[in-house]
C-alpha cells in the first residue's frame, strides 16, 4: 500500500487508466492550463492539480484544454462517448452544472434509455464541490442530490484516497455516465491506497465504524465530520454505526436498512439544503421500509435552506458541523 | 460534380422517400393514432440528401427537432422509423424516442434532439473522436436558424475552431424558428454563415432547395475538412412546407407564401427538371422510383399499425448498462 492524498490518487488513477485504455480522453478548462500564454502549455496542469503531466504524456489529442464553455465541454464529452471514446470532462466547480445542465440531464443521462438501450454513454464528469473554502454561493454547492435525482446518471463521492482510486477506476471502466464528485477540502486527505488494479463497486456503502446505538449515514466531507461526532459521543459510551455512502446512485439501501433495523435510530447528514435533498430521500426511504424498527423519528442534519455565505463565521454556521451531528445523535437517543 | 445514373437515382429515391414519409405522416397524424409532437422536414430534402449522400456510416451526424429527413438520408430503416413514430415495440428505439429523439447509432445517426441547439457540441465530440481515430471521418451537426441563436452552437463552433477538429456545422435556414422569422430573430443581417466565419471557420453558402448546388458546395467543404483543415460551416437557404409542429396552422406565413414556395422552390421538381432536361434520367425512371417509394411508405404505415405496443413491464429497462 502506498500513502497518498486524494489529489495524488486521482492523478495516478487517471494516468494509469489512460495508459491502459487509449479511448480515455480528458477535457476541461485548464486541465492542461497555460495554452496560448507565454508560459506555454502545462504552466498550470489543472486548476486543482489533478492533471499535471498528463498532457506531456498523452498529448493534445487526448488531453484537451477547452475554452470556458461548460455546455460545449459536456456536450463534446457526450458526443465523444457516443462515438466510441471514454471522455473524462472536468467541471472546475460543480456549481457550473447549471451552465451545462442540458447536456448532462437531457442528453447524456437519457441517451441509453431514449435510444431503446441500443447505445451506451461511458462519460465521466468530474465535479469539484463543497463548502469550506469561503468560495461562497456560486462556487461551494453540493449539487449531488440534484444529479442523484436524474435517472441515467451514476453519482459518486469518494472520501478516502483508496476510494478515490477504486471508484474512479470503476467509473472509467463502466459504460454509464458517472458524476464523480471531488470535495475541494478533501484533496489533501491522506491514506493508504491499494497498489495495482483496485476497483470499488458502486452501490456498496463503506462501514466506517460499527457501534450499534445510532445509525449515521453520510457522504463526502460529512463522513469526516460524523467521525468527530462519533468520537464525541463515544466518550459517553454511545456507539455509532457510521456509513459512508460512496455512491448516491446507486444507493446502498440494504446497508442503511440493515443498520437501522439493528439500531432503530437514524441520523442522515447531508451538505446541502434540506428540501428535496439526499437526507430527505433517505429519511423517507427508511420511514417507509423500516418503520417498525424505528425507536425515534429519523433526524436530518443539513445546511439551512439558503445559499452559501462568504464570511468565514457565516459559512461555518451554514455547513453541518460535528456539533450539530452530535446534537442530532443525542436527540434521537433521547426520544422516547 | 459527376454523379452516375445509379447515384442520381439513389439521391432521388432518398429525397422522395423523405417527402412521402412526411406527406404521409401529415395525413396519418390527423387520425389521432400518432401521439406527441411531430416536426416535419418536407421541403428540405435536398439538404439532408445532398449532404448525407457524401458521408459514410462511420461519419456521425447529430440532428435537430426536425430529424426524419436526416435519419432517412443517413440510412435509417424507414419501417423502423415509422414504428418508432407510432410508438411501437419494433421501432428503431423500441418506442422510447418517438419522432423528436429518434436515433440509429449503427448508421452514425446520433439522434434527433428535443432541445434546440442540443446537438452542436456533441458533433464536436464526435469530431474529437474522429480525429483521434485518424481515418478521415467527420462529425456533422445540423442546426436550424433557431439553433443558430443558442449559446451551445456558439460554444461548439469556438471549441471546434480551437481544437481544429473535423466538425461540420450545417445550418439549414428554413426562415422560421418555431413561428418566428429569421428576419426578426437572427441578427447579423440574417446571415448565419458569417457567424461561423466570425469564429474563424471557412463557410460555404448554397441554395438548399437545389440538390446539385448543395451537393457541390458540400463536396468542396468535405474535401477541405477531410484534408485536416479543421472545422467548416455551410448555410443552406431552404424552405419548410409544414408548420413548426403538426397541427400548427402557420398563421405567421405571408399570404400565398406557401403556394409560392411550393411552386418555385420545390427541390424534387427542380431535381426532376434538371436530370430529365440533361437527359441523365427519364420521367419513366423517376416515376418508377415514385411508385416504389409510395409502396414502401404504404407498407411502413401498415406494419407500424400492426406492430405491438411496448410491454409496460419494460418501462424502466435500459436506463443503465449496469446498475446494482
Amino acid at each position: 500500500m502506498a500513502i497518498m492524498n486524494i489529489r495524488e490518487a486521482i492523478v495516478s488513477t487517471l494516468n494509469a487508466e489512460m495508459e491502459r485504455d487509449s479511448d480515455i480522453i480528458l477535457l476541461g478548462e485548464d486541465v492542461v492550463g497555460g495554452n496560448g500564454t507565454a508560459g506555454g502549455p502545462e504552466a498550470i496542469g489543472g486548476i486543482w492539480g489533478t492533471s499535471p503531466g498528463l498532457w506531456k504524456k498523452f498529448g493534445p489529442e487526448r488531453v484537451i484544454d477547452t475554452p470556458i464553455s461548460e455546455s460545449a465541454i459536456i456536450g463534446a464529452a457526450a458526443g465523444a462517448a457516443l462515438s466510441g471514446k471514454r471522455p473524462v470532462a472536468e467541471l472546475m466547480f460543480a456549481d457550473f452544472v447549471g451552465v451545462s445542465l442540458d447536456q448532462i440531464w437531457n442528453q447524456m443521462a437519457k441517451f441509453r434509455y431514449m435510444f431503446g438501450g441500443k447505445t451506451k454513454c461511458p462519460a465521466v464528469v468530474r465535479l469539484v464541490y463543497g463548502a469550506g473554502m469561503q468560495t461562497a454561493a456560486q462556487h461551494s454547492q453540493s449539487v449531488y442530490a440534484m444529479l442523484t435525482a436524474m435517472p441515467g446518471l451514476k453519482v459518486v463521492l469518494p472520501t478516502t484516497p483508496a476510494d478515490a482510486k477504486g471508484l474512479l477506476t470503476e467509473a472509467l471502466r463502466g459504460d454509464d455516465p458517472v458524476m464523480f464528485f471531488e470535495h475541494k477540502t478533501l484533496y489533501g486527505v491522506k491514506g493508504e491506497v491499494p497498489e495495482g488494479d483496485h476497483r470499488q463497486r458502486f452501490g456498496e456503502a463503506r462501514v466506517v465504524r460499527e457501534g450499534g446505538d445510532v445509525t449515521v449515514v453520510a457522504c463526502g466531507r460529512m463522513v469526516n465530520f460524523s467521525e468527530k461526532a462519533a468520537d464525541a459521543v463515544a466518550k459517553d459510551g454511545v456507539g455509532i454505526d457510521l456509513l459512508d455512502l460512496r455512491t448516491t446512485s446507486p444507493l446502498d439501501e440494504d446497508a442503511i436498512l440493515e443498520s437501522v433495523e439493528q439500531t432503530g435510530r437514524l441520523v442522515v447528514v447531508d451538505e446541502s439544503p434540506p428540501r428535496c435533498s439526499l437526507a430527505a430521500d433517505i429519511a423517507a426511504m427508511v420511514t417507509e421500509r423500516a418503520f417498525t424498527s424505528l425507536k425515534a423519528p429519523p433526524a436530518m442534519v443539513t445546511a439551512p435552506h439558503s445559499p452559501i455565505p462568504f464570511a468565514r463565521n457565516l459559512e461555518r454556521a451554514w455547513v453541518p458541523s460535528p456539533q450539530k451531528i452530535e446534537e442530532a445523535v443525542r436527540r434521537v437517543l433521547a426520544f422516547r | 460534380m459527376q454523379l452516375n445514373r445509379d447515384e442520381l437515382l439513389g439521391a432521388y429515391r432518398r429525397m422522395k422517400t423523405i417527402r412521402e414519409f412526411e406527406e404521409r405522416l401529415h395525413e396519418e397524424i390527423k387520425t389521432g393514432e400518432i401521439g406527441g409532437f411531430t416536426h416535419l422536414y418536407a421541403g428540405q430534402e435536398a439538404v439532408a440528401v445532398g449532404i448525407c449522400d457524401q458521408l459514410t456510416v462511420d461519419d456521425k451526424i447529430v440532428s435537430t427537432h426536425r430529424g426524419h429527413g436526416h435519419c432517412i438520408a443517413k440510412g435509417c430503416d424507414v419501417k423502423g422509423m415509422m414504428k418508432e413514430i407510432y410508438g411501437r415495440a419494433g421501432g428503431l428505439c423500441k418506442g422510447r424516442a418517438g419522432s423528436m429523439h429518434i436515433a440509429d447509432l449503427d448508421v452514425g445517426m446520433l439522434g434527433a434532439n428535443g432541445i434546440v441547439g442540443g446537438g452542436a457540441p456533441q458533433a464536436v465530440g464526435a469530431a474529437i473522436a474522429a480525429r483521434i481515430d485518424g481515418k478521415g471521418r467527420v462529425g456533422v451537426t445540423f442546426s436550424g436558424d433557431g439553433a443558430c441563436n443558442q449559446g451551445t452552437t456558439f460554444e461548439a463552433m469556438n471549441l471546434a475552431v480551437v481544437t481544429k477538429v473535423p466538425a461540420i456545422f450545417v445550418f439549414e435556414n428554413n426562415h422560421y424558428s418555431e413561428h418566428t422569422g429569421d428576419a426578426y430573430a437572427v441578427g447579423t443581417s440574417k446571415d448565419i454563415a458569417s457567424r461561423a466565419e466570425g469564429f474563424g471557420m471557412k463557410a460555404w453558402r448554397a441554395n438548399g432547395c437545389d440538390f446539385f448546388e448543395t451537393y457541390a458546395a458540400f463536396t468542396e467543404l468535405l474535401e477541405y475538412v477531410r484534408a485536416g483543415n479543421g472545422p467548416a460551416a455551410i448555410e443552406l437557404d431552404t424552405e419548410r412546407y409544414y408548420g413548426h409542429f403538426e397541427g400548427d396552422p402557420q398563421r405567421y406565413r405571408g399570404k400565398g407564401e406557401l403556394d409560392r414556395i411550393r411552386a418555385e422552390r420545390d427541390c424534387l421538381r427542380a431535381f426532376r427538371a434538371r436530370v430529365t432536361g440533361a437527359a441523365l434520367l427519364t420521367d419513366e425512371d423517376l416515376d418508377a422510383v415514385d411508385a416504389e417509394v409510395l409502396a414502401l411508405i404504404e407498407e411502413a404505415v401498415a406494419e407500424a399499425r400492426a406492430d405491438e405496443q411496448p410491454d409496460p413491464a419494460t418501462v424502466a429497462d435500459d436506463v443503465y448498462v449496469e446498475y446494482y
Side-chain angles (χ1 to χ4, degrees):
Chain A
M1 293 250 198
I3 302 285
M4 54 175 84
N5 65 29
I6 288 183
R7 174 183 287 111
E8 292 159 347
I10 287 168
V11 183
S12 75
T13 304
L14 285 173
N15 189 23
E17 289 301 299
M18 289 181 79
E19 212 168 64
R20 190 190 58 80
D21 183 349
S22 61
D23 284 338
I24 298 175
I25 60 174
L26 178 64
L27 69 166
E29 293 153 11
D30 281 325
V31 293
V32 179
N35 256 318
T37 67
E42 284 233 314
I44 304 252
I47 203 84
W48 294 101
T50 50
S51 48
L54 298 178
W55 180 83
K56 258 188 198 123
K57 185 163 175 184
F58 300 106
E61 296 220 326
R62 292 182 62 196
V63 183
I64 303 168
D65 251 352
T66 65
I68 299 180
S69 293
E70 285 81 9
S71 294
I73 296 166
I74 306 297
L82 288 187
S83 306
K85 298 298 164 201
R86 294 182 164 272
V88 180
E90 183 176 301
L91 280 188
M92 196 182 285
F93 289 92
D95 312 67
F96 306 161
V97 289
V99 182
S100 56
L101 193 58
D102 178 67
Q103 291 295 335
I104 293 177
W105 173 44
N106 278 319
Q107 312 291 339
M108 61 168 61
K110 293 180 166 69
F111 284 153
R112 180 169 173 77
Y113 185 84
M114 206 160 63
F115 300 163
K118 290 181 183 169
T119 187
K120 53 188 188 175
C121 182
V124 177
V125 180
R126 295 179 39 232
L127 311 100
V128 181
Y129 79 109
M133 284 178 60
Q134 280 194 269
T135 46
Q138 296 173 346
H139 284 68
S140 304
Q141 296 168 90
S142 292
V143 293
Y144 51 77
M146 184 170 86
L147 298 182
T148 301
M150 297 168 188
L153 302 176
K154 290 177 175 173
V155 180
V156 178
L157 306 99
T159 57
T160 68
D163 278 353
K165 174 175 180 172
L167 294 166
L168 185 55
T169 304
E170 183 77 357
L172 290 167
R173 297 192 192 174
D175 287 329
D176 292 307
V178 175
M179 303 293 115
F180 193 87
F181 279 89
E182 298 164 23
H183 201 290
K184 57 174 76 73
T185 69
L186 297 184
Y187 276 129
V189 168
K190 283 187 179 170
E192 289 191 332
V193 176
E195 318 251 356
D197 227 35
H198 170 55
R199 295 175 71 166
Q200 172 53 52
R201 214 171 134 81
F202 294 166
E204 274 177 13
R206 177 171 67 100
V207 180
V208 182
R209 59 171 81 188
E210 289 177 293
D213 295 321
V214 178
T215 301
V216 176
V217 175
C219 60
R221 190 190 191 198
M222 296 301 105
V223 174
N224 301 1
F225 282 12
S226 298
E227 283 214 81
K228 287 186 181 166
D231 287 341
V233 296
K235 288 173 192 150
D236 301 326
V238 176
I240 301 293
D241 274 9
L242 176 57
L243 295 178
D244 170 0
L245 290 173
R246 282 183 173 139
T247 64
T248 57
S249 180
L251 179 69
D252 191 347
E253 297 179 9
D254 291 346
I256 299 168
L257 292 169
E258 235 167 73
S259 173
V260 172
E261 277 156 15
Q262 299 292 318
T263 62
R265 293 182 162 90
L266 172 71
V267 174
V268 197
V269 192
D270 184 0
E271 187 187 326
S272 58
R275 301 280 84 80
C276 300
S277 65
L278 188 73
D281 183 63
I282 290 172
M285 188 271 291
V286 167
T287 308
E288 185 181 33
R289 293 177 53 193
F291 186 70
T292 53
S293 305
L294 287 171
K295 298 171 190 159
M300 307 199 316
V301 183
T302 70
H305 193 65
S306 86
I308 302 166
F310 166 73
R312 177 169 301 174
N313 68 323
L314 287 180
E315 187 189 42
R316 283 205 181 130
W318 188 92
V319 177
S321 62
Q323 291 71 30
K324 282 179 186 158
I325 301 167
E326 183 186 336
E327 283 161 25
V329 168
R330 295 192 188 281
R331 200 161 67 239
V332 298
L333 271 172
F335 185 86
R336 324 174 31 90
Chain B
M1 172 189 32
Q2 290 291 329
L3 289 176
N4 66 34
R5 184 185 155 81
D6 283 349
E7 287 166 337
L8 288 171
L9 275 172
Y12 182 76
R13 181 178 295 112
R14 283 180 280 281
M15 286 170 61
K16 184 72 179 173
T17 305
I18 297 170
R19 175 67 55 88
E20 291 305 332
F21 191 90
E22 300 293 66
E23 297 278 16
R24 184 65 185 263
L25 274 180
H26 181 66
E27 296 308 315
E28 293 300 326
I29 280 162
K30 294 172 189 163
T31 67
E33 265 191 272
I34 296 168
F37 290 125
T38 311
H39 308 80
L40 300 184
Y41 190 77
Q44 304 180 211
E45 295 85 351
V47 176
V49 177
I51 284 167
C52 292
D53 265 16
Q54 302 184 62
L55 302 175
T56 72
V57 288
D58 295 319
D59 294 313
K60 315 287 188 196
I61 67 164
V62 292
S63 174
T64 67
H65 246 57
R66 208 170 297 291
H68 307 163
H70 306 131
C71 282
I72 292 172
K74 195 71 171 57
C76 294
D77 172 47
V78 170
K79 290 180 176 177
M81 286 176 61
M82 192 64 86
K83 286 177 187 167
E84 186 59 40
I85 292 164
Y86 269 83
R88 305 300 184 187
L92 270 187
C93 304
K94 300 185 195 163
R96 302 286 181 71
S99 162
M100 263 195 295
H101 312 102
I102 197 162
D104 188 351
L105 282 286
D106 290 341
V107 298
M109 161 54 185
L110 308 191
N113 211 304
I115 307 294
V116 173
Q122 294 164 24
V124 179
I128 288 172
R131 190 180 60 181
I132 291 171
D133 292 340
K135 292 176 183 163
R137 293 166 186 164
V138 296
V140 180
T141 178
F142 289 90
S143 308
D145 44 312
C148 88
N149 290 329
Q150 288 277 24
T152 42
T153 306
F154 282 65
E155 290 191 26
M157 287 197 284
N158 190 51
L159 181 58
V161 167
V162 166
T163 52
K164 301 183 181 68
V165 292
I168 297 172
F169 296 84
V170 178
F171 292 107
E172 284 181 85
N173 187 352
N174 64 19
H175 310 291
Y176 290 95
S177 54
E178 292 195 10
H179 319 285
T180 299
D182 62 336
Y184 171 82
V186 180
T188 57
S189 318
K190 297 203 296 177
D191 181 35
I192 300 170
S194 66
R195 294 185 175 184
E197 286 164 346
F199 281 101
M201 248 182 276
K202 193 165 176 185
W204 279 257
R205 294 165 178 82
N207 175 5
C209 294
D210 182 331
F211 171 82
F212 295 95
E213 199 182 306
T214 300
Y215 192 99
F218 194 70
T219 302
E220 280 181 26
L221 182 157
L222 194 57
E223 203 176 332
Y224 170 87
V225 173
R226 290 215 205 269
N229 289 305
I234 182 169
E235 178 179 356
L236 289 321
D237 175 4
T238 183
E239 303 292 350
R240 179 183 102 191
Y241 286 177
Y242 293 107
H244 169 58
F245 61 91
E246 275 309 273
D248 166 12
Q250 302 201 72
R251 288 197 192 92
Y252 45 85
R253 293 268 196 188
K255 195 163 179 247
E257 183 181 322
L258 273 170
D259 292 339
R260 181 183 57 75
I261 287 167
R262 284 207 185 236
E264 295 172 9
R265 303 203 72 206
D266 187 279
C267 59
L268 280 162
R269 197 175 302 147
F271 186 99
R272 183 178 279 256
R274 172 83 175 266
V275 293
T276 54
L280 295 166
L281 296 172
T282 64
D283 277 318
E284 291 71 39
D285 293 332
L286 298 171
D287 290 346
V289 173
D290 288 354
E292 196 187 301
V293 166
L294 281 169
L296 170 69
I297 300 298
E298 187 62 46
E299 273 177 46
V301 170
E303 287 182 26
R305 279 206 181 111
D307 194 28
E308 57 191 310
Q309 296 187 329
D311 180 356
T314 65
V315 68
D317 286 0
D318 294 327
V319 178
Y320 303 93
V321 174
E322 190 188 18
Y323 200 69
Y324 29 80

